[in-house]
Amino acid sequence: MTAMTELKEMNHGQDPGNVGVYPSPPEVEEKEEKNLEVSIEEEEPSSPKCAAVRVCFHSCSKPMSTKYHPLSENPGKLERLRYAFMCPPHGNLAMYIQFFVLCAVTWVVLIALTKDQALPGGNIFSLVILFTAAVAGGYIFSLCRLPPLLGMLLVGGMLSNIPVIKTVGQGLDLQWSGALRKIALTVILIRAGLGLDPVALRKLSFSVLRLAFAPCLVECLTVGVASHFLMGLPWVWAFLLGFVLAAVSPAVVVPSLLSLSDRGYGLDKGIPTLVIAAASVDDVLAITGFGVVLGIAFTQGDVALTIVKGPLEALLGVAFGCVVGVFLWYFPSKNGPSRMFYRSLLLFSAGMMATFGSDVVHLPGAGPLGCLTLAFVAAFRWRKERKDGQPDTIAEVVGIMWMLFQPLLFGLIGAAVNFDNIKDLNSLGLGIAVLAIGLFVRIIVSFCVVFGSGLTIKEQIFVALAWFPKATVQAAIGGLALDAAIKLGNAEMIEWGTSVLTTAVLSIIITAPIGALAIAISGPLLLNRIDPKTGQLVSKDNENPEEASMLNKESTEPTEETQ
């Protein structure tokens, strides 16, 4: 038996009746040193120098060991801080160490594989720095009880615009950046589809359509008129800008709603399902309208075909999602090995095929909707197979994937915001005015269209606040008109395209952080909460238990839609 084994047995071989009762520190130290010296003498009589080194190391490390200095029952802040830095590393410190070691090891491997790409100035080096910084920024904001995505967006913008470090953001390859954003968007859409409530969706189906169409079209019309008279854009370019700004961002809305949903907010009325489902349709409508107006502005292709392509994209996306979702009901088979692993792999692969394949066939609006639909249809059957109390393994796997891709998504969106595109202060002010007018009208319309959906005034206010963040679509299509104008070499069109891109950049800077913050703050204040453990509605600060009891009774009564 070695000296360390004897030492371990001596520490843990206490009387069972005295478990958790520690002797006083002087007694512990005297007993430990005596046993350690005896065991060393018995085991290694021929190596006194080695034994002396071990005894010295043991004595020196004892003051920093959690083993000899356990945390008290009611520790103060100073004691917690001291304990956090004791050895061996534990808690958050251990998590940080393993995270940075993992990043360093990954970077070394990438250097060996890609050479210059993983060195400073290369694309992979920039991605590693962006990912690490975005994780750190998100964690800092979470300590301040703010949405982590705000920190990730801010870090991405800093890496792309601060002169000293802007080379990191500028070193990102556009194709890599776009591909990673699509992968991250695929993960969050799959997660959203798995979390959709079929009962609430059926009950709110008409409300979903109203929320998807009315605010988008009204904001587009408002922005078109305002930009024509304030910014001097031609009518076609004014409505082009309108469709760019009219799209809500699923990359901001979906994670924020899922965060509230995980804590039980809004589940009694299906509000997360309502907003998430409407977001995909809203994006299809905005992208379709943008394509139509862009074709008119540059007379590219058949306008009639472009108009028909919008509804076709939506139908194809839903059809693809339904077919693949039903396929996932039966494959992998029930008797197959590692069923959950292959089920997760098939789900993610099908979502990737929808997202990237839709671009290949020039139907970009079908991809996100198909990805959301296939996860929803597949989960419809998987819920019935899962027994009560059994964990949702697929949701846990997707949640881990989202933890990895969330910093990349928001970091890359922030990095896409380039202040160098904002050159004219006059156009900057006018762009902010147009954006403010459009957002004001959008909030009013969003509040009004959910009348008759069974929502209270507070819940309608929340839906209106949750329905205006912009980021993903604006980053994707904001510069397309300018690119087309540059190819034509038309100076006047280049000026108009620059105005469109500038306003799109402003919409990301202003609405993404404010929208995420508004959802995070207003959700707990305006929405009812269901306790995830008991499934019962919780009253606000337990001030009105009678109201909570009445709401619980109403939520358990079957409705026409659920019967």
Side-chain angles (χ1 to χ4, degrees), residues 393-510:
T393 308
I394 304 297
E396 292 176 357
V397 172
V398 177
I400 293 173
M401 294 178 64
W402 174 239
M403 289 175 60
L404 296 175
F405 281 100
Q406 183 184 21
L408 283 175
L409 175 61
F410 293 112
L412 289 170
I413 289 176
V417 177
N418 191 351
F419 292 155
D420 292 339
N421 294 324
I422 304 176
K423 299 178 180 179
D424 187 1
L425 294 179
N426 185 38
S427 63
L428 177 66
L430 294 175
I432 294 176
V434 170
L435 179 64
I437 294 172
L439 287 174
F440 176 77
V441 174
R442 183 183 185 90
I443 291 175
I444 298 298
V445 175
S446 301
F447 176 83
C448 295
V449 295
V450 289
F451 269 116
S453 303
L455 304 182
T456 64
I457 298 297
K458 290 183 177 180
E459 291 165 340
Q460 290 177 226
I461 293 174
F462 172 80
V463 171
L465 293 176
W467 202 234
F468 79 91
K470 308 174 188 300
T472 316
V473 176
Q474 287 72 24
I477 67 176
L480 295 182
L482 178 59
D483 294 340
I486 292 174
K487 288 181 180 179
L488 290 178
N490 188 315
E492 192 174 26
M493 286 188 173
I494 290 175
E495 182 181 353
W496 298 334
T498 302
S499 298
V500 171
L501 178 59
T502 300
T503 311
V505 170
L506 288 172
S507 69
I508 299 174
I509 296 172
I510 295 174

Side-chain angles (χ1 to χ4, degrees), residues 189-190 192-199 201 273 325 329 347 371-381 383:
L189 288 173
I190 289 175
L194 294 174
L196 289 180
D197 184 358
V199 176
L201 186 61
T273 296
W329 289 359
L347 178 65
C371 187
L372 184 73
T373 304
L374 74 88
F376 170 72
V377 173
F380 182 79
R381 177 70 172 267
R383 288 192 188 96

